[in-house]
Amino acid sequence: MAPTLTRIINDMKLRTKLFVSFIFVVFVPVLIVGLFLTVQLREMALGNAEEQTAADIQRVKVRTSELLNVAYDSAYRLANDSRLERIVNRKYETVYDVVEAYRSYPDFKELLRLYKEISGIRFYMDNPTMLNNWEFLQPDKQIMDAPWYRSAQYTSPGIVGWDYIKDERDGKMYLSLVQKVSFYKEQTSGVLVININMALLNSILKQETFDTMIVDDNGKIIASNRAGWNGSTLDDIGMDRRVISETEGIFRSDVDGQASQMLIEPLIPKSSYNSLRIVSVLSIGSAVKDANRINRLALTVVSAGLIIAILLIYAVSTILSKRMLKLSKHINKVATGNLEGALEIDGKDEIAQLSRQFNAMVQSIQSLMTEVQESNRKNMILESKQNEIKLKMMASQINPHFLFNTLESIRMKAHLKGEREISQIVGLLGKLMRKNLEAGRRKTALSDELTIVRCYLEIQKFRYEDRLHYKLEIDPEAECAGIPPLIIQPLVENAVIHGLEGKEEGGTVTISVQAEGDRVHVSVADDGTGMGREQLDKLRGTLDAAEEEEQARIGLRNVHTRLKLSYAGNPGLDYDSIPGKGTKVRFTIPWGGDADEV
């Protein structure tokens, strides 16, 4: 699974990777957190609204109870008033007696004056001698058939009822206390009705934030802070029928076409055979309005941030893609072999650093190619010189004159002395010829080179007899050192021919090889005629000339050139000469013969 995912990611383009990373690292977490916070904020707002509604309902309950208690206390006082009993049970003979009796009982008016919570008091009594006025009324058939009146008739004394009824005197609806008042002495009874001040009751509800109402047992809305709801039923405002009959609790229901949450709190007045309910309707939309506004604002800000982030990612990915494409094109250009021109990518980021490293690599490649080309050129020249030295040693150094003199000497010796010495010289000549023919290898041991030198000197000693002497001062440790072939023999030949041949008494050639540290020092010295400064300078100029002349010192120049080509930084041959004293030529190579080799 992991390798597959890694391969899929690696196959994506850089821009796609950035967008996918943004989606999973930023967008998805922000979306999840946003949804979680939105839900939590809505729930918190709804919970706070519920707590506030519950507190409001309790406040309404307390204040409404205080309002109802005023009516209850007044009813209790009137139900136990003996004067009221005498007035309603007296048989009046004249109208004057009735008026005087009513005038002598100002208690109804006094209660209305003392308590603003009460808006009206009336007493229903079946006494044909009484007259109907604003306070004392004869119940007609409509009144006696009213549910509230009949309920009062069948209740026990001292038990009250609360009903939403119309006052026939002004035609308005009131929440009224209805109580049966029994007069035991007279064996009669009447019905006391005390109207609650509806303006005061509505004012209590209007102080609440949410829609709040007082409902009776029949679902009739007695008072409400919502215009148009008074006198309606819960069914009229679209409340769920399953909730209408509930007396207490928290319920979800559509009210007036809106999803709402309802809190129902029972209100049971003292000594009442029925009860009221306080219903608070919490519109969920209104409760979470601020939360929704905050969520919309947050959504707007987050969306703007995400859009800006997407634009930035697009811009950054475009810049990165262009720079990477530029780098890719330059790499392809270099891959085709075009190393000209440097890659120019500004900045200090990884791509710029990669471009600088790539430029450095290209420069290194160019340098290496230049070095390789130079090395190949030198190797070609060196190979050419190696072939040239073999041919020229065969054709020039072992020239017809040398062979003629050697063969002449062999002939004379053969004539005078016999075959032993002739055989030795011929053996040396053959060995020398074989060593020269084997000189095609790039490197040879110093001991093999010295063998050639000894052969050559022995042949020359056969020629010059006592005029030629030689010494070999060889450090045994240096004999295994690697050295270019035919590098010492041309120097010895030059010492014999140019140093001693013109000296009648002859001389000595000294070959010295010494190991010192990681270097091998080689010198060839003679005590012959030597050279003056002018001749020595001319020789040095010939060695360093770009082109060699036909009759130039072929062997010396070849050795000098091969030393410089074979070892980086090698100065070649170094000459010292004193006229009449002799000449010394020396050179130095690294131990092993290849430490500094090109």
Side-chain angles (χ1 to χ4, degrees):
M1 180 63 183
T4 302
L5 180 60
T6 303
R7 185 174 65 253
I8 293 174
I9 294 175
N10 291 337
D11 290 341
M12 291 181 181
K13 291 186 177 181
L14 180 61
R15 180 176 298 176
T16 306
K17 290 179 182 178
L18 290 176
F19 278 107
V20 171
S21 300
F22 171 77
I23 290 173
F24 285 100
V25 175
V26 178
F27 183 77
V28 172
V30 167
L31 182 61
I32 295 175
V33 172
L35 292 176
F36 175 77
L37 292 179
T38 298
V39 173
Q40 291 298 314
L41 188 60
R42 284 175 58 87
E43 293 296 328
M44 185 182 298
L46 193 57
N48 292 337
E50 289 178 0
E51 293 178 1
Q52 182 180 349
T53 303
D56 292 346
I57 285 181
Q58 292 300 321
R59 184 170 58 251
V60 170
K61 184 176 181 179
V62 170
R63 296 186 64 186
T64 303
S65 297
E66 292 174 353
L67 181 62
L68 299 182
N69 287 337
V70 172
Y72 177 80
D73 293 341
S74 300
Y76 180 81
R77 172 183 171 182
L78 293 174
N80 294 282
D81 189 353
S82 59
R83 292 183 301 119
L84 176 62
E85 181 179 0
R86 288 195 301 270
I87 290 174
V88 298
N89 287 290
R90 179 182 173 183
K91 302 299 181 181
Y92 296 99
E93 297 179 356
T94 64
V95 174
Y96 177 79
D97 292 338
V98 176
V99 172
E100 283 297 322
Y102 289 170
R103 185 180 298 172
S104 64
Y105 192 77
D107 292 30
F108 287 176
K109 294 181 177 65
E110 187 66 20
L111 289 174
L112 292 175
R113 184 181 65 81
L114 290 175
Y115 303 108
K116 61 181 180 178
E117 291 84 357
I118 301 173
S119 63
I121 302 175
R122 61 189 185 275
F123 192 87
Y124 293 94
M125 185 66 186
D126 186 12
N127 185 351
T129 63
M130 293 180 63
L131 298 175
N132 290 341
N133 68 351
W134 196 259
E135 298 170 349
F136 297 96
L137 299 169
Q138 291 281 345
D140 55 16
K141 186 178 184 308
Q142 183 179 359
I143 294 298
M144 288 188 293
D145 291 339
W148 59 270
Y149 190 88
R150 285 185 295 170
S151 296
Q153 291 293 330
Y154 294 109
T155 58
S156 301
I159 303 300
V160 303
W162 294 92
D163 296 285
Y164 188 61
I165 59 178
K166 181 187 290 187
D167 190 336
E168 66 270 20
R169 296 172 301 177
D170 59 8
K172 295 180 180 180
M173 300 293 293
Y174 293 91
L175 174 62
S176 302
L177 180 149
V178 179
Q179 180 181 3
K180 177 183 179 182
V181 181
S182 298
F183 304 109
Y184 296 104
K185 291 181 180 182
E186 303 292 337
Q187 295 295 311
T188 60
S189 64
V191 176
L192 176 64
V193 178
I194 300 177
N195 294 337
I196 298 298
N197 188 338
M198 297 303 294
L200 185 59
L201 181 60
N202 286 318
S203 67
I204 293 175
L205 300 179
K206 287 180 180 179
Q207 296 177 14
E208 305 308 321
T209 305
F210 305 106
D211 294 337
T212 307
M213 63 191 103
I214 298 176
V215 183
D216 64 10
D217 285 341
N218 299 319
K220 178 81 73 172
I221 299 175
I222 297 171
S224 172
N225 60 356
R226 177 82 174 266
W229 279 9
N230 286 357
S232 301
T233 64
L234 295 179
D235 190 36
D236 293 336
I237 64 175
M239 187 176 293
D240 193 337
R241 294 180 181 275
R242 294 173 298 177
V243 181
I244 290 177
S245 59
E246 298 291 340
T247 59
E248 184 178 4
I250 301 176
F251 307 94
R252 290 285 179 93
S253 175
D254 289 342
V255 176
D256 203 13
Q258 294 183 353
S260 303
Q261 185 164 285
M262 294 181 302
L263 278 75
I264 302 176
E265 179 72 17
L267 176 60
I268 305 176
K270 292 188 297 183
S271 302
S272 174
Y273 65 82
N274 62 357
S275 63
L276 303 174
R277 289 177 293 172
I278 302 174
V279 180
S280 181
V281 179
L282 173 62
S283 173
I284 296 178
S286 299
V288 298
K289 180 179 179 181
D290 290 339
N292 289 337
R293 180 178 58 83
I294 295 174
N295 288 334
R296 287 193 297 271
L297 179 61
L299 178 62
T300 302
V301 173
V302 171
S303 299
L306 292 177
I307 292 173
I308 293 174
I310 291 173
L311 294 176
L312 288 176
I313 289 176
Y314 180 79
V316 171
S317 63
T318 300
I319 294 174
L320 291 177
S321 297
K322 288 182 178 179
R323 301 175 82 201
M324 293 294 289
L325 182 60
K326 185 176 181 181
L327 178 60
S328 176
K329 289 182 177 179
H330 195 77
I331 291 175
N332 291 333
K333 178 181 176 182
V334 172
T336 60
N338 188 351
L339 301 179
E340 300 297 328
L343 176 61
E344 296 181 0
I345 297 181
D346 57 351
K348 298 181 179 179
D349 61 356
E350 289 79 358
I351 297 178
Q353 182 180 0
L354 184 61
S355 69
R356 289 191 292 269
Q357 293 173 348
F358 184 76
N359 287 335
M361 182 190 71
V362 172
Q363 291 178 357
S364 299
I365 292 175
Q366 289 177 324
S367 299
L368 289 174
M369 289 183 65
T370 301
E371 292 178 5
V372 169
Q373 291 173 353
E374 181 65 19
S375 176
N376 290 337
R377 186 186 66 82
K378 290 183 178 181
N379 287 335
M380 290 176 64
I381 295 175
L382 182 61
E383 188 70 24
S384 174
K385 293 297 181 180
Q386 292 285 68
N387 294 331
E388 179 184 332
I389 191 64
K390 288 193 298 182
L391 294 175
K392 289 186 176 180
M393 286 296 295
M394 294 295 295
S396 178
Q397 292 174 335
I398 307 178
N399 51 48
H401 179 70
F402 171 71
L403 292 176
F404 176 80
N405 291 336
T406 302
L407 292 175
E408 183 66 19
S409 298
I410 292 172
R411 186 184 66 81
M412 292 294 295
K413 288 291 184 180
H415 179 71
L416 296 174
K417 294 184 177 182
E419 298 180 359
R420 181 180 177 184
E421 190 173 4
I422 295 173
S423 176
Q424 180 181 3
I425 295 303
V426 170
L428 290 174
L429 181 59
K431 188 176 183 179
L432 178 61
M433 295 292 288
R434 284 194 302 272
K435 291 293 183 181
N436 284 335
L437 292 174
E438 293 173 358
R441 293 174 295 177
R442 291 290 304 274
K443 288 289 184 292
T444 185
L446 181 61
S447 58
D448 292 338
E449 180 72 9
L450 293 176
T451 299
I452 296 176
V453 170
R454 287 190 184 96
C455 290
Y456 176 78
L457 288 173
E458 287 296 328
I459 292 173
Q460 291 289 25
K461 188 172 179 59
F462 174 79
R463 175 187 175 188
Y464 291 105
E465 296 182 343
D466 293 336
R467 292 180 57 206
L468 174 63
H469 302 279
Y470 67 90
K471 292 190 296 181
L472 297 175
E473 300 174 353
I474 308 302
D475 188 344
E477 295 182 1
E479 289 191 6
C480 61
I483 190 170
L486 299 176
I487 205 78
I488 300 177
Q489 190 270 340
L491 305 181
V492 174
E493 180 183 353
N494 188 71
V496 172
I497 295 175
H498 298 285
L500 301 178
E501 193 173 51
K503 190 176 180 182
E504 185 177 350
E505 66 275 18
T508 302
V509 176
T510 304
I511 297 94
S512 175
V513 178
Q514 300 295 326
E516 183 178 335
D518 61 348
R519 297 281 169 172
V520 176
H521 302 281
V522 179
S523 66
V524 177
D526 65 74
D527 55 359
T529 57
M531 293 179 288
R533 174 169 293 278
E534 181 178 352
Q535 190 178 2
L536 187 60
D537 291 340
K538 183 178 180 181
L539 173 61
R540 288 170 177 164
T542 301
L543 294 177
D544 291 326
E547 297 291 339
E548 61 183 41
E549 298 176 3
E550 188 68 25
Q551 301 298 325
R553 299 177 184 270
I554 297 173
L556 293 181
R557 189 179 187 282
N558 188 286
V559 172
H560 181 74
T561 301
R562 284 193 294 142
L563 284 173
K564 294 177 69 175
L565 292 175
S566 298
Y567 307 103
N570 195 303
L573 298 177
D574 183 26
Y575 268 89
D576 286 326
S577 185
I578 300 175
K581 297 291 185 179
T583 302
K584 184 176 183 179
V585 59
R586 55 183 176 270
F587 64 87
T588 301
I589 60 173
W591 177 262
D594 56 358
D596 297 330
E597 188 176 355
V598 176

